[in-house]
């Protein structure tokens, strides 16, 4: 499958030209501005700088400087990345892109780059939205993007313990295809599932679609195999261990700066067969905060819904799950073992008690059937979102998302602060636009709100306008006590917020770990810490 080098998905996938024009008309109607999609960039018309290094002959079979490979590995997939690529701004592509077919070839790339002082950027699916795979590295002699996509196999399965040894470069769909015949699943479904990899999930501590319990990839990692410039680290397979600080935890979230994850033993689950779901409405001026109170009670009830997405009225309208007059809670339960009706019934009782309006008949019990109603509308919009964003970029519409987490006790004030700051910036900078919010994940002690900004901008000024909005949002989040990221990672783009959030002494400890594992500072310079 050939991927689009500048945007999301496979070549030819996504909205047709007619659908793109329809999206543009919808946006134009909503914001009262003229909007027209521009044609996508043509790589043939863009001059890339010459590669500064060539691979040794022994590596030439799996290292490429083809323009498409270099252009496609220049950026990740944040809004800013897609805008720059769409404009054809490709000033610092990787000099070479390596596609190793084995761990030995990964080691050979690290050896070559170590010997020549070349920076290495580990690359899984390239879906980073925080500059984690960007190859513009100031001061680097040359840069190699290390694409692990050919390491895509499930190597071993332990059916009794329900775990598998899996190569790190496998993308979500190919991983599930290999587990399905065994009745098993990793059950980790980030929105970027189609084009993100196991190694990338682990390196960024990604969050899946499931709203409670096993949400972060962290929970599923049983052991890791990591190639560092100083040698190989392989951790012991254990269901749990109290033996000191966890070596796995050092690499989970290390964002490619400490080593290249080549394999992991992952905990699996049986594929769910029992499902029950419903959606609940919350009305009134404070609909979202009323919904949040219901969700808090649910999160603290021990019921652990698999889906618990609270959409504010704006988000519900954008996804087609509501008409903009009320908040919607999309609720779902699932199990491979037992029916979920009793759990759903209790959850709906809790929602009613908290002021939620439960439609009659409330619950739908499904056995693999397609979703309909608000839940189905929400799911379809969720899967289409990255494709639609490419169209919005072509229309010069700012389409930014950011997310955080905050304890329940602080949530109402925090949320008002973030909304006020972000909406204020949108109005000031763009004159029109919207900010919507939903919960992606909830915990007994707090929630992970996710904000989506849509705003018309001036072609050519998109990034300056976007930067002002983003800065206002980041300031509100950090000053309000939230985290710079619940699941999008730090990369290069979130460094200013991360540097304020993490204790300085911890940064020193991380730098010491980096010096031990990557003494020449080859791996992903500028991400998480400065050397
Ligand atoms: C449309 C869209 C939706 C998204 N939705 C979600 C979501 O629901 N949940 C979520 O958590 N995130 C989401 N993201 C962010 C992104 O998909 C995640 O951060 C994901 O985990 C990155 O995986 P990847 O394989 O694409 O990694 P990449 O983007 O290739 O790399 C990410 C980072 O990990 C490092 N890395 C990659 N592979 C390895 C490896 N094998 N060893 C060491 N380091 C490595 C890279 O150097 C980089 O720093 C979304 C992004 C987009 C564009």
């Amino acid at each position: 499958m050939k991927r689009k080098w500048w945007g999301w998905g496979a070549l030819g996938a996504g909205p047709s030209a007619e659908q793109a024009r329809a999206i543009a008309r919808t946006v134009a109607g909503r914001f009262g501005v003229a909007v027209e999609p521009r044609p996508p960039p043509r790589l043939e018309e863009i001059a890339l700088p010459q590669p500064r290094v060539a691979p040794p002959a022994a590596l030439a079979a799996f290292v490429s400087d083809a323009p498409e490979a270099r252009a496609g590995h220049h950026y990740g997939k944040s809004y800013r990345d897609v805008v720059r690529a769409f404009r054809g701004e490709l000033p610092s592509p990787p000099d070479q892109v390596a596609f190793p077919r084995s761990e030995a070839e990964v080691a050979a790339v690290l050896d070559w780059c170590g010997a020549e002082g070349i920076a290495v950027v580990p690359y899984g699916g390239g879906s980073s939205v925080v500059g984690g795979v960007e190859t513009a590295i100031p001061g680097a002699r040359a840069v190699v993007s290390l694409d692990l996509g050919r390491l895509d196999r499930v190597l071993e399965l332990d059916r009794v313990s329900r775990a598998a040894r899996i190569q790190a470069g496998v993308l979500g769909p190919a991983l599930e295809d290999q587990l399905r015949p065994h009745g098993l699943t990793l059950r980790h479904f980030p929105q970027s599932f189609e084009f993100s990899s196991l190694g990338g999930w682990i390196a960024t501590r990604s969050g899946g679609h499931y709203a409670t319990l096993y949400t972060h990839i962290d929970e599923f990692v049983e052991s890791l195999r990591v190639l560092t410039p100083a040698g190989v680290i392989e951790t012991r397979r254990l269901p749990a261990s109290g033996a000191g600080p966890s070596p796995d935890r050092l690499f989970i979230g290390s964002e490619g700066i400490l080593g290249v994850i080549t394999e992991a033993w992952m905990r699996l689950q049986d594929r769910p067969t029992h499902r029950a779901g419903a959606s609940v409405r919350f009305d009134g001026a404070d609909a979202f905060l009323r919904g949040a109170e219901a969700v808090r009670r649910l999160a603290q009830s021990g019921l652990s819904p698999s889906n618990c997405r609270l959409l504010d009225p704006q988000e519900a309208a954008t996804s087609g799950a509501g008409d903009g007059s009320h908040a919607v809670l999309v609720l779902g339960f699932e199990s491979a073992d037992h029916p979920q009706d009793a759990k759903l019934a209790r959850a709906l009782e809790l929602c009613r008690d908290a002021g939620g309006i439960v439609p009659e008949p409330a619950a739908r019990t499904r056995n693999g059937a397609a979703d309909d109603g608000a839940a189905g509308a929400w799911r379809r919009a969720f899967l289409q979102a990255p494709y639609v964003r490419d169209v919005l970029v072509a229309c010069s519409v700012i389409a930014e998302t950011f997310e955080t987490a905050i304890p329940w006790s602080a949530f109402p004030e925090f949320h008002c602060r973030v909304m006020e700051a972000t909406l204020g910036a949108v109005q000031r900078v763009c004159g029109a636009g919207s900010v919507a919010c939903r919960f992606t994940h909830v915990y007994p002690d707090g929630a992970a709100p996710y904000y989506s900004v849509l705003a018309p901008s001036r072609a050519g000024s998109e990034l300056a306008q976007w930067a002002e909005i983003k800065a206002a949002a980041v300031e509100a989040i950090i000053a309000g006590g939230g985290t710079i990221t619940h699941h999008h990672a730090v990369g290069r783009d979130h460094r200013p917020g991360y540097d304020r959030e993490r204790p300085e002494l911890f940064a020193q400890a991380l730098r010491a770990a980096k010096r031990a594992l990557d003494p020449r500072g080859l791996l992903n310079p500028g991400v998480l810490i400065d050397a």
Side-chain angles (χ1 to χ4, degrees):
M1 178 231 325
K2 243 184 156 183
R3 285 174 63 178
K4 213 195 264 182
W5 65 268
W6 62 270
W8 190 255
L11 264 185
S16 64
E18 181 46 43
Q19 287 165 329
R21 282 192 291 275
I23 293 168
R25 280 196 297 275
T26 307
V27 174
R30 183 152 147 193
F31 298 123
V33 290
V35 170
E36 182 68 30
R38 287 165 294 158
R42 290 162 52 85
L43 193 52
E44 315 80 84
E45 293 168 2
I46 302 168
L48 298 178
Q50 285 301 310
R52 293 166 290 185
V53 288
L59 275 55
F62 64 92
V63 176
S64 169
D65 62 5
E68 205 153 330
R70 294 177 70 210
H73 288 76
H74 192 317
Y75 300 121
K77 292 289 178 280
S78 69
Y79 166 74
R80 177 166 166 255
D81 294 337
V82 178
V83 171
R84 288 183 294 175
F86 189 86
R87 287 176 177 173
E89 288 176 10
L90 304 173
S92 312
D95 297 276
Q96 301 287 338
V97 183
F99 298 93
R101 298 156 294 188
S102 65
E103 195 180 274
E105 290 185 346
V106 175
V109 172
L110 291 184
D111 287 347
W112 164 45
C113 293
E116 299 211 12
I118 299 169
V120 180
V121 177
Y123 185 104
S127 68
S128 169
V129 283
V130 294
V133 292
E134 170 143 7
T135 52
I137 299 179
R141 180 187 160 238
V143 180
V144 167
S145 179
L146 179 57
D147 185 324
L148 295 147
R150 290 187 183 171
L151 301 181
D152 63 354
R153 309 304 305 162
V154 172
L155 299 172
E156 205 178 335
L157 201 84
D158 174 351
R159 191 67 184 78
V160 175
S161 315
R162 264 192 358 194
R165 181 160 70 92
I166 306 168
Q167 289 184 306
V170 68
L171 300 183
L175 170 58
E176 287 297 325
D177 284 350
Q178 292 174 73
L179 296 176
R180 195 172 298 110
H182 305 279
L184 293 169
T185 172
L186 180 62
R187 211 166 164 270
H188 185 73
F189 302 112
Q191 190 183 24
S192 53
F193 176 76
E194 258 189 294
F195 295 104
S196 58
S197 70
L198 175 65
W201 299 338
I202 296 171
T204 59
R205 304 186 62 194
S206 71
H209 176 66
Y210 292 96
T212 62
L213 287 179
Y214 316 113
T215 57
H216 277 280
I217 195 74
D218 312 26
E219 325 291 344
F220 301 118
V221 176
E222 201 180 50
S223 77
L224 289 177
R225 189 171 160 85
V226 186
L227 255 59
T228 80
V232 178
I233 289 189
E234 188 168 340
T235 64
R236 185 172 286 213
R237 261 192 80 196
L238 293 166
S241 167
S246 157
D248 290 329
R249 294 271 169 181
L250 180 65
F251 292 101
I252 297 172
S254 61
E255 301 193 23
I257 70 162
L258 300 180
V260 180
I261 300 161
T262 54
E263 290 178 11
W265 271 95
M266 300 299 293
R267 303 184 177 111
L268 304 175
Q269 299 179 61
D270 295 311
R271 302 183 77 80
T273 45
H274 302 273
R275 292 189 172 87
S279 58
V280 182
R281 259 177 57 185
F282 294 87
D283 287 350
D286 57 351
F288 189 57
L289 292 181
R290 283 153 62 96
E293 174 55 20
V295 169
R296 180 184 70 78
R297 293 188 202 178
L298 259 173
Q300 294 175 344
S301 69
L303 285 166
S304 307
S306 53
N307 201 355
C308 188
R309 303 256 166 173
L310 179 66
L311 318 176
D312 79 358
Q314 180 71 58
E315 178 78 27
T318 304
S319 62
D323 61 9
S325 67
H326 53 266
V328 176
L329 173 60
V330 179
L331 206 50
F333 289 88
E334 56 182 59
S335 163
D337 183 67
H338 49 273
Q340 297 293 290
D341 314 65
K343 278 186 161 187
L344 179 64
R346 176 63 194 133
L348 292 176
E349 218 169 75
L350 275 172
C351 289
R352 269 194 210 97
D353 290 350
I357 299 163
V358 180
E360 293 296 339
R364 292 186 319 282
T365 305
R366 298 188 293 113
N367 217 343
D371 271 329
D372 51 13
W378 155 251
R379 189 168 179 278
R380 285 188 292 278
F382 181 72
L383 296 175
Q384 278 306 308
Y387 294 97
V388 171
R389 190 186 56 177
D390 284 358
V391 176
L392 295 173
V393 165
C395 294
S396 298
V397 172
I398 294 174
E400 167 68 4
T401 60
F402 58 93
E403 36 75 66
T404 182
I406 188 82
W408 286 119
S409 54
F411 173 71
E413 197 186 322
F414 175 83
H415 175 63
C416 290
R417 179 180 195 148
V418 173
M419 287 297 280
E420 213 175 284
T422 315
L423 253 178
V426 164
Q427 292 296 343
R428 195 173 60 248
V429 176
C430 299
S434 62
V435 183
C437 184
R438 65 179 190 252
F439 286 166
T440 56
H441 304 84
V442 292
Y443 304 89
D445 56 338
Y450 182 108
Y451 298 87
S452 304
V453 177
L454 271 185
S457 66
R458 290 184 305 280
S461 305
E462 297 98 331
L463 291 183
Q465 293 178 284
W466 162 86
E468 226 176 304
I469 297 167
K470 177 87 177 171
V474 166
E475 182 54 37
I477 284 174
I478 295 297
T483 173
I484 188 65
T485 176
H486 169 267
H487 60 262
H488 277 170
V490 173
R492 296 178 174 81
D493 299 353
H494 279 161
R495 276 293 302 283
Y498 178 65
D499 290 357
R500 282 165 69 189
E501 176 179 338
R502 54 114 180 83
E504 180 47 36
L505 201 49
F506 178 75
Q508 287 180 34
L510 195 53
R511 276 186 212 110
K514 170 115 175 132
R515 276 196 297 278
L517 298 170
D518 179 21
R520 300 193 58 187
L522 302 176
L523 289 170
N524 229 353
V527 166
L528 287 176
I529 46 167
D530 293 320

